[in-house]
Amino acid sequence: MADQIKRNRKAYMRRGIWIMLSVALLVIVGTILALTEDTADVTQANAPPALQIVSVRDLAVSDVTASVETFAEVRPRWSADIRPAVGGRIVEVREAALAGVQVPAGAVLFQIETTQYDTAVAAAELSLAEARFAMLQAENKTTISRLQFERDSARAPNDLALHIPELRIAEHQVASADAQLRAAQQQLADTTITAPFSGFITERLISLGQTVTAGEPLLKLVDDKQFEMTVELSRESWALLDHPIAAQVVQLVDTVGTPMGTAIVRQGGGFLDQNTRQYRVFIEVSETNDQPILSGDFLRVLLTGRVLKDTLSIPDTALTRTGHVWFVDQNDQLMRLAPDIHFRLNDQIVIAAPLGGHRQRVAITPLASFLPGQRVAPHRQED
């Protein structure tokens, strides 16, 4: 019995020792974990945060010549519906009168039947001959009467005695008959329809054998030599120009950027368009490059303006959707400003330099996460 009690005591003692060792081990592990966690926190809190990298472009403040860009349609100076001055049956349609043909000035297009106009000319010639004969008779009577009074050494009592009124009437009849003859000849000449200027036939409206009346449209003709454009400018763009603008040379560029030639400002700014309230500038196309300018072309017009002082030319990517530009100051801190935009040209925006100094750093790809005063790591990019 005593031996059994001793064995139980030894078992209890061994069990207690193991429990005490387990508790001690737990305490040691917990202490180590706590110390490790505290050390990690202290290390993370003391590490400085990484600065955001910002792509910037170092730009120089300079004076620049303004350029105003707009678009306009090329229009022919002359565009007309060709109409006959006389009526009649179309007896001939020339090849030049077909749609799409380019014709020179004076080219014959149509021929109207001339029978009635030949008759009118002949009748007018007869009337003129009769009037001239009557005038000769009146002149003869006046001469005989004057000689008679001279032979009798007498003075004619009045003009009737010398048949002068009859002579005056005869002279007017000759003038009238001569005018009627010229009118008849002109009508005969008008039976031949010619092109008043060189150009393209865009549409033919009548056919061979058709009877037309005076003033009825026959075809449409547009100029192929002289072109003009009408440009509309806002008040801001108008203020950028170097006035007066008459006779200034402007550049013409197509929609893909190919230079097409030059033009001359004929006049502009005399009034505002009643619908758009913009200034209208009238331009004459003067010289073209190898690629011809055609009627109906839609071209970019570049007008040279006045010299602007203290400007920056920034890439269009630097302007945010809200209309701001981000600058990086000397302390590498962000600054947000609303720029005064002068004009845009291609992928550049010319603004008034908002800060002092000769060079300024502009963030070329601003992010929505930018904050004013935020320190950044500027990364310089070349133009």
Side-chain angles (χ1 to χ4, degrees), residues 93-326:
V93 178
R94 297 288 183 90
E95 291 291 329
L98 301 181
V101 176
Q102 185 178 16
V103 298
V108 177
L109 304 175
F110 301 99
Q111 181 62 54
I112 296 176
E113 188 176 20
T114 63
T115 304
Q116 60 176 324
Y117 303 104
D118 289 331
T119 303
V121 169
E125 290 175 341
L126 176 60
S127 298
L128 178 58
E130 292 175 345
R132 287 175 175 171
F133 177 71
M135 185 179 66
L136 289 175
Q137 290 180 325
E139 290 176 345
N140 186 57
K141 287 183 179 180
T142 300
T143 301
I144 293 175
S145 299
R146 182 174 289 110
L147 291 175
Q148 183 67 39
F149 282 107
E150 290 177 356
R151 190 169 45 249
D152 295 340
S153 300
R155 183 177 179 180
N158 50 45
D159 290 345
L160 288 175
L162 297 175
H163 304 283
I164 291 178
E166 296 179 24
L167 177 60
R168 297 288 181 266
I169 292 174
E171 291 174 346
H172 286 302
Q173 287 176 340
V174 170
S176 176
D178 185 60
Q180 290 177 0
L181 175 59
R182 290 197 303 270
Q185 290 173 336
Q186 183 60 55
Q187 286 188 326
L188 178 60
D190 288 339
T191 58
T192 301
I193 312 299
T194 60
F197 52 85
S198 66
F200 285 95
I201 306 298
T202 60
E203 186 179 4
R204 179 174 55 84
L205 304 174
I206 58 97
S207 299
L208 182 66
Q210 184 175 346
T211 299
V212 297
T213 59
E216 181 180 351
L218 305 179
L219 52 78
K220 296 181 181 294
L221 178 66
V222 296
D223 196 350
D224 65 338
K225 301 296 184 183
Q226 304 176 84
F227 301 99
E228 57 187 15
M229 308 171 74
T230 302
V231 172
E232 293 193 353
L233 301 176
S234 64
R235 293 181 182 271
E236 293 77 11
S237 297
W238 178 258
L240 289 175
L241 297 180
D242 187 14
H243 299 282
I245 63 173
Q248 289 187 12
V249 178
V250 301
Q251 302 297 320
L252 303 178
V253 181
D254 67 9
T255 54
V256 297
T258 303
M260 299 296 292
T262 60
I264 302 295
V265 176
R266 177 167 54 84
Q267 193 54 267
F271 60 93
L272 298 178
D273 185 271
Q274 62 180 356
N275 296 321
T276 62
R277 302 302 176 189
Q278 292 188 328
Y279 291 92
R280 304 189 75 184
V281 178
F282 302 94
I283 298 174
E284 296 178 353
V285 178
S286 55
E287 297 182 2
T288 61
N289 295 337
D290 295 336
Q291 297 182 357
I293 294 178
L294 302 178
S295 175
D297 274 347
F298 199 66
L299 301 180
R300 189 154 52 102
V301 182
L302 303 178
L303 298 95
T304 302
R306 57 188 176 86
V307 176
L308 303 176
K309 301 289 186 179
D310 299 331
T311 66
L312 283 178
S313 181
I314 65 174
D316 55 6
T317 58
L319 186 67
T320 66
R321 293 183 178 180
T322 58
H324 294 89
V325 175
W326 289 89

Side-chain angles (χ1 to χ4, degrees), residues 11-22:
Y12 288 145
M13 289 178 66
R14 288 194 296 268
R15 188 179 299 172
I17 291 171
W18 281 109
I19 291 173
M20 290 177 64
L21 292 174
S22 299

